[in-house]
């Protein structure tokens, strides 16, 4: 009789694919880069992520220049998030319904065109805040479709045994962009104006488009499971609600995303009203957080697997760091908390992302990642205004305390109600309009025996 897995066992794992990597070694920091397809994919993401941060900073500055209103900047950000809340699940359904590489070619082209349009309006001197609003909404719509497809496509590029490493490297590419992009954007705005920042971002989309075209389809790690004729959205949601081992990490990242996504809002207020630093001091604190996040991404790429207990420990550490940061009174003391906060946040997000992707059957991966993105973004969209109100009413120290205490309570409740055992891997048997999950095998964790 098989031993019942406990909280220290790895989270759900997918069946081994028929096509395995020639380099199955686990735990190597750059093991995914041995895959030719992933090298192109990673290079494209690294360049376009930098361009995205260039545009993000320039766009906020442009809106502030046009309106002299911080509220207008918030509206612009909200318009970019709103389509994900409305169409995130639909984006996951599209990822399951059509080839992900083809979907990404379309969405990346659309996102590049939005940047080119904003550059055109700005360089011609005809830009208004309504132009920025409309383009932000269009960009958000393309992102809502792009995000689930891109997340799920990583598994096809590297295969399940390199998936965690690839997700960690993708997160590091985002954090590298967060370190380089703002500085480059500031230099561009100071020298040639925001319009050229948007134009450069538009050009960076040639990188992911080129990488997608250079990927060899026959080398992708596609599942041998036959495609299902039932691609309805509700089937993916039903699969998620019936598999608590997949639902649990999604709820955990939602609990922490509620307030941790909005750290820059609190950090700016804390730097100004508590630490009494200028914009340079705030920038240094932000850079410290980004540097810590980069370290966290590299740690995630190096870790071979996650467990329920490990995810809970990471979340608990993050909550304690937030509450400890609320007690600091000097920039150096706060920076000492911000670096590990950035690392733990990225480690938690990457680990939960991997848990969902690895545990998701191929037929449902796009829809499950759509649910993940919806919860992750949606929790931030709800928590941001709440945390802003706490900042305004009680001050940034209380906001940092709340940002740690509330997720800690939510995580504790989730831990007490966690799945009692790991769900087995499933192969899918399809019967016309319904999908029946059938257990086929369990992946044995290294160092443990089933008896």
């Amino acid at each position: 009789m098989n031993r019942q897995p406990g909280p220290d066992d790895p989270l759900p794992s997918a069946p081994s694919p028929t096509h395995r990597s020639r380099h199955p070694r686990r735990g190597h920091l750059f093991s995914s880069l041995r895959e030719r397809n992933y090298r192109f994919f990673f290079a494209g993401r690294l360049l376009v992520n930098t361009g995205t941060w260039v545009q993000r900073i320039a766009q906020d500055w442009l809106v502030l220049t046009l309106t002299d209103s911080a509220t207008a900047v918030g509206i612009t950000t909200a318009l970019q998030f709103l389509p994900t809340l409305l169409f995130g699940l639909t984006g996951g359904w599209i990822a399951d319904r059509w080839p992900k590489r083809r979907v990404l070619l379309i969405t990346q082209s659309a996102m590049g065109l939005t940047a080119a349009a904003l550059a055109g309006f700005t360089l011609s001197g005809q830009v208004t805040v309504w132009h920025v609003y409309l383009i932000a909404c269009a960009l958000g719509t393309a992102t809502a479709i792009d995000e689930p497809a891109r997340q799920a496509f990583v598994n096809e590029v590297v295969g399940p045994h390199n998936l965690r490493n690839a997700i960690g490297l993708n997160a590091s590419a985002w954090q590298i962009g967060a370190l380089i992009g703002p500085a480059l954007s500031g230099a561009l705005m100071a020298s040639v104006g925001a319009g050229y920042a948007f134009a450069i971002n538009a050009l960076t989309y040639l990188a992911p488009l080129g990488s997608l075209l250079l990927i060899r389809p026959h080398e992708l790690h596609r599942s041998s499971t036959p495609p299902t004729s039932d691609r309805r959205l509700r089937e993916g949601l039903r699969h998620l609600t019936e598999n608590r081992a997949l639902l649990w990490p999604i709820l955990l990242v939602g609990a922490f995303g509620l307030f941790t996504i909005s750290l820059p809002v609190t950090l700016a207020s804390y730097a100004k009203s508590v630490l009494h630093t200028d914009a340079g001091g705030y920038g240094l604190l932000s850079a410290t957080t980004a540097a810590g996040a980069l370290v966290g991404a590299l740690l995630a790429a190096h870790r071979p697997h996650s467990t329920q207990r490990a995810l809970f420990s990471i979340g608990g550490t993050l909550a304690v760091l937030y509450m400890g940061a609320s007690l600091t009174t000097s920039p150096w003391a706060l920076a000492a908390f911000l670096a590990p906060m950035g690392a733990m946040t990225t480690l938690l997000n990457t680990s939960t992302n991997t848990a969902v992707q690895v545990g998701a059957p191929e037929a449902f991966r796009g829809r499950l990642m759509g649910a993940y993105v919806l919860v992750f973004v949606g929790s931030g969209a709800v928590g941001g205004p709440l945390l802003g109100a706490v900042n305004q009413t009680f001050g940034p120290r209380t906001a940092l305390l709340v940002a740690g205490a509330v997720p800690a309570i939510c995580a504790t409740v989730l831990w007490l109600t966690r799945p009692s055992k790991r769900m087995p891997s499933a192969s899918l048997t399809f019967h016309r309009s319904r999908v029946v999950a059938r257990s086929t095998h369990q992946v044995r964790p290294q160092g443990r025996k089933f008896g």
Side-chain angles (χ1 to χ4, degrees):
M1 183 174 66
N2 288 343
R3 178 182 64 82
Q4 295 298 322
D8 287 327
D9 286 331
L11 287 164
S13 53
S16 299
T18 56
H19 172 64
R20 286 187 176 275
S21 172
R22 292 179 304 226
H23 307 281
R25 180 183 176 188
R26 300 186 182 189
H28 192 280
L29 183 57
F30 301 108
S31 59
S32 297
L33 293 175
R34 292 167 174 164
E35 297 268 0
R36 174 191 178 276
N37 281 347
Y38 184 72
R39 288 197 296 272
F40 284 111
F41 184 84
F42 178 81
R45 296 314 309 168
L46 183 61
L47 189 56
V48 80
N49 286 341
T50 303
T52 298
W53 277 100
V54 168
Q55 174 157 323
R56 175 176 292 188
I57 301 301
Q59 178 180 273
D60 289 348
W61 184 260
L62 175 64
V63 172
L64 196 60
T65 301
L66 291 172
T67 64
D68 196 27
S69 169
T71 302
V73 177
I75 292 174
T76 307
T77 303
L79 287 173
Q80 288 188 201
F81 282 126
L82 182 62
T84 299
L85 297 179
L86 298 177
F87 309 120
L89 293 177
T90 303
W93 172 80
I94 291 173
D96 283 336
R97 181 66 179 81
W98 284 281
K100 300 174 185 63
R101 181 166 168 263
R102 187 184 306 168
V103 172
L104 291 175
L105 284 169
I106 295 172
T107 56
Q108 293 291 299
S109 298
M111 294 163 80
L113 289 174
T114 62
L118 187 55
F121 283 122
T122 306
L123 291 173
S124 66
Q126 299 177 355
V127 66
T128 68
V129 69
W130 293 105
H131 290 135
V132 182
Y133 286 166
L134 290 174
I135 291 172
C137 190
L139 176 62
T141 303
T143 302
I145 300 172
D146 178 89
E147 191 75 22
R150 179 163 44 82
Q151 300 263 10
F153 186 61
V154 174
N155 186 67
E156 291 187 8
V157 175
V158 299
H161 38 284
N162 272 330
L163 180 59
R164 181 181 185 85
N165 179 260
I167 292 175
L169 291 181
N170 286 348
S172 69
W174 175 255
Q175 297 303 333
I176 290 172
L179 288 171
I180 299 174
L184 180 58
S185 182
L188 287 170
M189 286 189 293
S191 57
V192 293
Y196 287 96
F198 303 140
I200 287 178
N201 181 45
L203 290 175
T204 63
Y205 279 96
L206 295 175
L209 289 172
S211 69
L212 289 168
L213 293 174
L214 289 170
I215 283 176
R216 295 171 180 168
H218 66 277
E219 292 182 5
L220 293 175
H221 299 250
R222 292 195 175 100
S223 172
S224 58
T225 302
T228 175
S229 59
D230 191 345
R231 300 278 182 167
R232 290 176 296 183
L233 181 59
R234 67 171 179 266
E235 292 295 340
L237 295 176
R238 181 183 303 167
H239 183 84
L240 180 61
T241 56
E242 292 176 353
N243 290 270
R244 293 179 59 212
L246 292 175
L247 182 61
W248 192 82
I250 292 178
L251 294 178
L252 183 66
V253 78
F256 279 90
L258 190 67
F259 292 136
T260 57
I261 292 178
S262 302
L263 175 62
V265 177
T266 303
L267 196 57
S269 179
Y270 203 94
K272 182 178 180 181
S273 60
V274 177
L275 303 179
H276 306 291
T277 63
D278 55 13
Y282 168 60
L284 181 60
L285 293 175
S286 299
T288 301
T289 307
L294 177 58
V295 173
L298 295 175
L299 287 173
H302 189 67
R303 289 166 57 88
H305 57 74
S306 291
T307 65
Q308 292 177 0
R309 190 181 300 278
L311 291 182
F312 181 76
S313 299
I314 295 169
T317 302
L318 179 59
V320 170
L321 287 169
Y322 264 87
M323 290 185 283
S326 68
L327 304 177
T328 59
T329 56
S330 74
W332 296 112
L334 180 58
F337 280 94
L338 289 177
M341 281 164 60
M344 290 297 105
T345 299
T346 303
L347 193 57
L348 179 66
N349 295 343
T350 303
S351 299
T352 52
N353 184 310
T354 308
V356 176
Q357 286 214 53
V358 174
E362 178 65 26
F364 291 124
R365 183 168 288 117
R367 280 166 286 184
L368 295 183
M369 291 314 300
Y372 175 91
V373 172
L374 176 65
V375 171
F376 183 68
V377 174
S379 62
V382 173
L386 292 177
L387 195 62
V390 174
N391 264 291
Q392 187 69 27
T393 306
F394 301 103
R397 302 184 88 174
T398 303
L400 274 179
L401 180 63
V402 169
V406 173
I409 294 172
C410 295
T412 301
V413 172
L414 286 172
W415 176 253
L416 295 175
T417 59
R418 69 191 183 279
S420 59
K421 64 180 182 179
R422 177 169 55 97
M423 296 295 294
S425 302
S427 67
L428 300 178
T429 303
F430 301 98
H431 298 286
R432 293 184 182 178
S433 63
R434 64 192 183 94
V435 181
V436 180
R438 184 177 56 188
S439 174
T440 57
H441 73 285
Q442 289 178 326
V443 177
R444 301 184 181 188
Q446 293 181 350
R448 295 184 183 268
K449 294 183 179 179
F450 285 70

